[in-house]
Amino acid sequence: MPPETSIQGNLEERPHFPSAVRSFQRTATRRAHSQPNFHDKYGNIILLGGATFCASTWFYIVTQGGIEWNLSPVGRITPKEWREK
């Protein structure tokens, strides 16, 4: 018997090769050649669009929202006069 150039053909000719492995190889081959679904086509675009929307919304809130963040009390608090008893 001449040596096979294809690994797939050589494995399938061997009678003791498990059929589960052949089935798995066929399924993997079918899935590799299938049509791309919605997530394959548009998944990254939707992810980037959502991240951009989220970042821009938070940027607007932080810079233009008018929220008083009170990050530092410097200049806002005046010391009280000491009382001597």
Side-chain angles (χ1 to χ4, degrees):
M1 179 159 97
E4 293 285 330
T5 57
S6 169
I7 294 174
Q8 184 75 20
N10 190 11
L11 293 177
E12 287 184 0
E13 290 177 3
R14 295 165 57 183
H16 63 276
F17 195 69
S19 62
V21 174
R22 280 193 303 248
S23 175
F24 176 75
Q25 287 174 339
R26 287 182 185 143
T27 303
T29 303
R30 266 189 314 221
R31 287 184 182 167
H33 297 303
S34 66
Q35 296 292 328
N37 60 15
F38 178 82
H39 300 286
D40 293 334
K41 286 183 177 180
Y42 306 110
N44 291 335
I45 294 170
I46 291 174
L47 180 66
L48 289 174
T52 303
F53 175 78
C54 182
S56 61
T57 302
W58 275 109
F59 180 77
Y60 175 79
I61 290 171
V62 168
T63 59
Q64 306 294 320
I67 296 173
E68 185 64 42
W69 296 98
N70 292 328
L71 297 176
S72 173
V74 175
R76 298 177 194 269
I77 298 174
T78 55
K80 293 181 180 179
E81 295 292 328
W82 286 96
R83 289 189 219 168
E84 293 184 22
K85 291 185 178 182

